[in-house]
Amino acid sequence: MKFEEFDLVYPSVNPGAEKTVIKFFSGEPQLAETFFSGAQQSAPRLFVTDTVVGSLPSMQHFLREFDDSGSRGKDGIIILDSGEEFKTIDTVLKIVKAALDRNFGRNAVFVGIGGGVITDMTAFAASIFKRGAKCELVPTTLLSMVDAAVGGKTGCDFDSYKNMIGTFFPASTIYIFPEFTKSLDDVQYLSGLGEVMKTALLSSESLYDSLKKRRNDVFERKNDIVQQMIATCVRAKANVVEQDFTEKNIRRNLNLGHTFAHALETLAGLGTVAHGDAVAWGIARALVLGNAIGICHSSYCDEVISTLESYGWETGAIHSALNAEGTDKAEIAKKLIEIMKKDKKNVDENIRFVLQTGPCATLIREVSEEKVFQILQ
């Protein structure tokens, strides 16, 4: 039997933008001035936001620029329902349809204005629209400023699993207005702090020290500490992403606490536990797991857990949001482990965890189900 083969070689393609320009603004967000003043925009833009962000006083001047049909010249706007329960492929396709209905081409710019749900979905829609439009983001929550909007990960939830569908598609520009954090309710703000705490543990002992010593200032949202948190986290994540954009190596470390967190969010029901709160619980479980397998000293584990608890986060073996699952902790633990097996970071049936040996000292290990089961009791 004759057999031939040959290679079709492709060039390396950088999706989205070749670089992301991150712009920091002080004072009240002025989106109308940011987007509608100066030189005429050549490409049409589709602005995407949600009902909660659209109700903010700082957004009213911007929204008044659009007519009743949601148009302003070549630009358009779509306002979506708010919440994790709407982070679905159907909502992503609504964004795509809005662009199609306006006859936008591949030169269009999708601009997401909102928290992590909106920025993830807007960037995802841009990545699949006619095989790739452009994307810009305006994160309005602390969580999206310090994590979700930075680094080019896009996606939506599917079949009750977190971010199971998505792409790597970086925004060309990210506009950060720290003042938006003043409009957040306490739950949203605390959720963002969960990702701030994660970044501090991974890469900034000085930020972690500030979080411990200035907890009251953090909760009072003092300008200097809020700006320190955002700037430190953005620069830390940017540094990692530049080295490992598609998460083949060190970017995996940014998932500290997330294997546990995503399992918690799925089992409790997406949106039941705020993402950052789930991450904080997951960090505690990861530290306990590291201690159980002998790579994390108990003093570091105990000290970080004490800090997490001082912010009001749960750190126990089973999160209270799972009480509705029944009183059998062993059964809950088994369900969490089954969900972890579907985590997109796994390469096979083994579960990978990001663990720490100490401050800013991180590694990835596959751990037996038995050990994981033990620390969920």
Side-chain angles (χ1 to χ4, degrees):
M1 182 177 72
K2 274 187 128 179
F3 176 78
E4 290 184 30
E5 81 174 50
F6 70 94
D7 295 333
L8 172 57
V9 180
Y10 299 103
S12 177
V13 176
N14 182 27
E18 293 183 356
K19 69 175 181 178
T20 299
V21 178
I22 302 176
K23 299 182 178 182
F24 293 88
F25 297 83
S26 61
E28 189 75 11
Q30 301 289 342
L31 297 194
E33 179 181 333
T34 301
F35 288 104
F36 301 136
S37 64
Q40 183 69 28
Q41 175 78 12
S42 59
R45 294 171 295 193
L46 178 65
F47 294 93
V48 183
T49 190
D50 64 27
T51 53
V52 171
V53 176
S55 68
L56 298 177
S58 58
M59 287 288 292
Q60 300 317 300
H61 185 202
F62 173 76
L63 293 177
R64 284 196 294 269
E65 292 282 338
F66 298 89
D67 62 24
D68 291 341
S69 69
S71 298
R72 183 190 185 276
K74 293 187 294 185
D75 296 336
I77 190 169
I78 178 173
I79 300 178
L80 303 169
D81 290 321
S82 176
E84 185 77 31
E85 63 267 35
F86 297 104
K87 192 180 182 183
T88 65
I89 190 64
D90 289 335
T91 306
V92 172
L93 294 178
K94 283 184 182 179
I95 301 172
V96 171
K97 188 174 188 308
L100 284 173
D101 288 347
R102 294 179 179 276
N103 294 318
F104 282 1
R106 292 175 67 180
N107 68 328
V109 183
F110 289 46
V111 186
I113 307 172
V117 170
I118 288 294
T119 58
D120 278 6
M121 291 196 300
T122 302
F124 185 28
S127 75
I128 61 175
F129 180 74
K130 297 187 176 180
R131 298 197 179 97
K134 297 296 182 184
C135 176
E136 297 183 354
L137 301 174
V138 184
T140 60
T141 63
L142 180 60
L143 190 148
S144 59
M145 290 179 200
V146 302
D147 184 67
V150 181
K153 281 187 178 181
T154 83
C156 64
D157 305 333
F158 183 74
D159 199 23
S160 297
Y161 294 99
K162 187 90 170 174
N163 295 327
M164 276 291 136
I165 306 175
T167 57
F168 288 98
F169 198 82
S172 58
T173 309
I174 300 175
Y175 306 83
I176 295 179
F177 298 86
E179 194 72 12
F180 268 125
T181 62
K182 303 287 180 64
S183 67
L184 301 175
D185 61 32
D186 291 343
V187 172
Q188 288 180 306
Y189 183 66
L190 185 64
S191 178
L193 289 176
E195 289 286 357
V196 173
M197 186 68 72
K198 178 204 76 175
T199 302
L201 293 171
L202 286 173
S203 59
S204 179
E205 291 188 64
S206 62
L207 177 57
Y208 181 56
D209 192 54
S210 293
L211 292 172
K212 288 190 294 183
K213 293 179 178 178
R214 299 188 60 188
R215 187 173 61 87
N216 289 339
D217 290 342
V218 171
F219 279 122
E220 291 173 12
R221 310 184 198 191
K222 295 286 183 68
N223 286 336
D224 67 320
I225 188 66
V226 169
Q227 290 172 6
Q228 179 194 2
M229 291 190 301
I230 295 171
T232 301
C233 290
V234 169
R235 292 183 185 279
K237 186 167 186 181
N239 178 58
V240 171
V241 170
E242 282 186 334
Q243 298 178 67
D244 182 23
F245 176 55
T246 56
E247 201 170 359
K248 298 292 193 300
N249 195 354
I250 63 170
R251 187 170 183 175
R252 294 172 180 170
N253 292 347
L254 300 182
N255 291 303
L256 175 64
H258 281 62
T259 301
F260 288 103
H262 288 166
L264 167 61
E265 290 177 273
T266 294
L267 189 56
L270 294 179
T272 301
V273 181
H275 177 66
D277 296 355
V279 168
W281 175 79
I283 290 171
R285 290 299 90 203
L287 289 168
V288 172
L289 181 60
N291 180 247
I293 64 174
I295 66 169
C296 177
H297 198 280
S298 58
S299 60
Y300 177 67
C301 176
D302 293 344
E303 193 271 327
V304 173
I305 287 177
S306 176
T307 301
L308 294 171
E309 290 174 347
S310 75
Y311 274 80
W313 287 307
E314 293 192 34
T315 63
I318 297 294
H319 195 282
S320 64
L322 301 180
N323 287 339
E325 291 293 318
T327 57
D328 187 344
K329 290 185 178 181
E331 189 61 30
I332 295 173
K334 289 177 183 177
K335 289 181 179 180
L336 287 169
I337 290 170
E338 285 304 309
I339 294 169
M340 290 179 202
K341 289 180 180 179
K342 293 183 173 65
D343 192 283
K344 57 187 175 295
K345 296 178 290 298
N346 297 331
V347 294
D348 48 36
E349 292 186 354
N350 295 316
I351 308 173
R352 285 186 169 185
F353 293 93
V354 181
L355 305 173
Q356 287 202 295
T357 60
C360 303
T362 308
L363 50 79
I364 295 175
R365 285 281 177 86
E366 292 183 353
V367 182
S368 68
E369 290 184 33
E370 290 77 16
K371 281 292 184 184
V372 180
F373 184 80
Q374 289 173 15
I375 63 98
L376 290 173
Q377 297 300 296

